[in-house]
Amino acid sequence: MLLSLLKKIVLLSLYTIIFACSENSSKTISNNFFPGKEWIDNNGVAINAHGGGVLFHNGTYFWYGEHKIEGKIGNTAQVGVHLYTSENLYQWEDKGIVLKVNETDPNSEIYKGCILERPKVIYNKKTKKFVMWFHLEPLNMGYTSARSGVAYSDSPYGPFNFLKSVRPNAGVWPLNVKDFHKKEVSEDVKSVYGGGPEHLPKHVDSLNILGRDFEKGQMARDMTLFVDDDDKAYHIYSSEDNSTLHISELTEDYLSHAGRYKRFFPSKFNEAPTIMKTSSGKYFIISSGCTGWSPNAARSASSDNIFGPWKELNNPCVSKDSLTTYNSQSTYILPVHGLKNAYIFMADRWTPENPIEGKYIWLPIEIKENRIEISWRDKWNLNFFN
Ligand code: DGJ
C-alpha cells in the first residue's frame, strides 16, 4: 500500500518535471536555454534586462540591461540599468538597479523619462574601474540628440556614477575620411533627421552628415563595446543618422573617445551592432537593419583587423524566420568563458506596446571558416559547444 503510494508520488513528480520542461522550462531550474520563452530569476520574476550585454569577471557573469516597465512609457527610462549575475549562464540572480535615473534634478541628462538604451559594461584593468556606456537621449529629445552616456563604478555590482554624455569625436576626422567630407556642408543637411533609410537619400554621403557633425561630435545611437586582446577598448555605434557604423577607440581609461575612429558600411543603415573575435583572430560583426522596434534580417561582416577592411557577409540566421532574426534584434555577442570559440548571440524580442514583456533570444553562433551561422533552437545548452 505504502509502496504503491510512494510509486504514485514519484511518477507524479516525474511527470510534473517532464511536463514543465517541455512546456516552459525556464519556470523550473533547468540547465538549458529556451529562446523566446519567459526567463525567470532567483525570485521567480521575469528577467528585466533588455538591450543588454554581459561582462565576465572573476568567475561570475554580469548581465546589465534596460529595466523596462509596463505600458508604452516603458520604452523610456523610468528606472535605470538592471543587473543580474550568474555562475553558469542559466540561472540568474537579481542584483537590483546599478545605474538609477535621476528623479530629483530635471537638469540631469539621465532624468527619469530620458531614453537610455543598450548599456554595456567593460572592466579597465589599469584603473580597476567598471565602465558603462549607453545610448542616451535626454528628456523630450526624441531620438534627435544621439548622444552616448558614460558611467563608472569600483565594483561590477555598482552603483554606477553617471559621468557625462558626449557626441563622440568632436573636431576629429575619422582615419578614413574622404576629401568631400571636409568641404562645406550644404544648408539642407543641417536640419535632416532620419533614423531609417526612408528619410534619407540612398547615398547618404552626398549629404555629408559626417562633415555636418564634425564640430559638435558625431551622432551615436545603437551601440556596443569591445575590449581587444591588447586591452584597447572600442565603442561601436550607429552614426550619421544611423546610415553608417563608426568604430571608435576609447582612451586608456575607457572614459572618453581617443580620437582614432573609422566609418564603415556607409549608407547601409546598420543598427544593433555586436562584435566577436575568434581564437584565430577573425572579427565578426552582427547587426540589424533600421526598422524601429520591428524586426528585420540580421547582417554579418568579417575582418582580420578591427579597423577593417570589413567584408560584408550574408544574413547569419539560416532557419525559418531568418528574415526577422527569429523575431528579434541583436544586442550582444557573449563569449562563453573557458570554452574555445563558444559565442552566444544575444538578441531582444521587443514588445513596444508593453516593453516589460520583451523576451530574450540566446542562440549559439557556429563558426564556419569565413562566416558565421545562427540556427534556431527551441532548447539548447552549453554542451552544444563540446
Ligand atoms: C531600434 C533600436 O535598435 C532600439 O534600441 C531602439 O532604439 C528602437 N530602434 C527604437 O525605435
Side-chain angles (χ1 to χ4, degrees):
M1 172 74 176
L2 189 68
L3 205 67
S4 90
L5 191 70
L6 265 177
K7 244 186 189 172
K8 268 188 192 154
I9 292 173
V10 169
L11 274 174
L12 198 69
S13 340
L14 262 177
Y15 174 78
T16 315
I17 291 169
I18 291 166
F19 179 75
C21 283
S22 61
E23 283 305 297
N24 186 358
S25 302
S26 48
K27 286 266 182 207
T28 66
I29 303 287
S30 168
N31 284 353
N32 287 296
F33 301 107
F34 297 88
K37 290 273 167 59
E38 184 176 64
W39 197 349
I40 55 167
D41 65 13
N42 58 312
N43 299 317
V45 175
I47 293 174
N48 195 339
H50 309 264
V54 174
L55 166 78
F56 181 79
H57 187 75
N58 285 348
T60 300
Y61 291 97
F62 296 81
W63 177 358
Y64 303 89
E66 304 161 33
H67 179 100
K68 306 264 194 190
I69 67 162
E70 285 195 358
K72 275 192 174 173
I73 195 175
N75 291 313
T76 61
Q78 299 293 320
V79 179
V81 177
H82 206 139
L83 167 67
Y84 296 83
T85 60
S86 175
E87 316 285 300
N88 62 10
L89 292 173
Y90 305 112
Q91 283 98 39
W92 292 89
E93 270 188 40
D94 184 358
K95 298 293 177 188
I97 303 298
V98 291
L99 175 68
K100 289 196 168 82
V101 293
N102 187 305
E103 294 194 53
T104 53
D105 175 12
N107 291 320
S108 164
E109 287 184 286
I110 57 164
Y111 191 64
K112 188 174 175 176
C114 66
I115 291 172
L116 195 165
E117 292 181 340
R118 299 182 176 270
K120 305 286 178 294
V121 174
I122 50 180
Y123 176 60
N124 189 301
K125 286 184 198 155
K126 277 197 186 137
T127 63
K128 300 198 167 23
K129 301 265 186 249
F130 295 82
V131 178
M132 177 191 291
W133 283 86
F134 47 89
H135 168 200
L136 178 66
E137 306 282 350
L139 193 60
N140 300 328
M141 296 296 289
Y143 278 90
T144 57
S145 66
R147 300 182 73 80
S148 301
V150 58
Y152 63 93
S153 174
D154 291 330
S155 159
Y157 295 93
F160 281 79
N161 304 299
F162 177 63
L163 181 65
K164 63 184 174 186
S165 90
V166 294
R167 274 286 193 94
N169 297 309
V172 184
W173 291 114
L175 298 170
N176 55 352
V177 66
K178 301 254 168 59
D179 283 347
F180 67 80
H181 287 130
K182 297 188 174 173
K183 292 199 181 124
E184 212 183 313
V185 176
S186 66
E187 269 310 305
D188 52 339
V189 70
K190 293 203 171 130
S191 57
V192 164
Y193 164 65
E198 67 280 11
H199 300 279
L200 293 168
K202 227 174 172 198
H203 299 293
V204 160
D205 274 350
S206 62
L207 290 174
N208 191 9
I209 299 174
L210 185 87
R212 176 194 73 184
D213 292 341
F214 174 72
E215 269 163 36
K216 62 178 180 237
Q218 299 300 326
M219 298 176 96
R221 293 198 185 105
D222 280 9
M223 55 144 282
T224 194
L225 296 178
F226 178 71
V227 180
D228 212 334
D229 301 331
D230 58 4
D231 292 334
K232 280 189 180 155
Y234 298 85
H235 182 204
I236 302 168
Y237 47 91
S238 307
S239 192
E240 302 176 41
D241 247 332
N242 287 352
S243 66
T244 303
L245 208 66
H246 286 194
I247 299 184
S248 191
E249 194 179 312
L250 294 174
T251 48
E252 270 194 24
D253 59 9
Y254 300 170
L255 295 173
S256 303
H257 292 86
R260 273 171 53 79
Y261 72 111
K262 276 194 174 184
R263 52 198 301 274
F264 294 102
F265 320 119
S267 304
K268 293 287 174 77
F269 287 89
N270 281 282
E271 271 193 331
T274 64
I275 189 168
M276 60 183 261
K277 184 182 186 182
T278 66
S279 59
S280 63
K282 203 167 232 359
Y283 300 81
F284 289 97
I285 281 177
I286 303 176
S287 58
S288 75
C290 293
T291 50
W293 296 115
S294 309
N296 55 59
R299 295 114 181 249
S300 64
S302 70
S303 176
D304 293 326
N305 188 307
I306 187 132
F307 273 148
W310 282 92
K311 182 174 180 231
E312 289 179 69
L313 305 169
N314 292 341
N315 178 354
C317 298
V318 291
S319 314
K320 183 174 168 281
D321 296 328
S322 63
L323 293 181
T324 59
T325 315
Y326 312 126
N327 191 10
S328 73
Q329 188 184 30
S330 43
T331 181
Y332 196 69
I333 297 177
L334 161 56
V336 181
H337 184 76
L339 293 180
K340 202 173 159 194
N341 282 335
Y343 301 90
I344 299 177
F345 174 69
M346 289 172 56
D348 293 282
R349 188 169 281 176
W350 303 117
T351 52
E353 296 301 316
N354 195 22
I356 193 171
E357 278 181 4
K359 301 288 186 295
Y360 311 102
I361 306 297
W362 286 27
L363 289 167
I365 297 176
E366 291 176 76
I367 302 164
K368 310 254 173 184
E369 294 271 333
N370 292 325
R371 60 191 179 85
I372 44 179
E373 252 181 41
I374 305 167
S375 299
W376 177 258
R377 292 183 159 76
D378 289 330
K379 173 182 170 183
W380 68 282
N381 60 41
L382 296 178
N383 289 331
F384 174 88
F385 295 114
N386 293 332

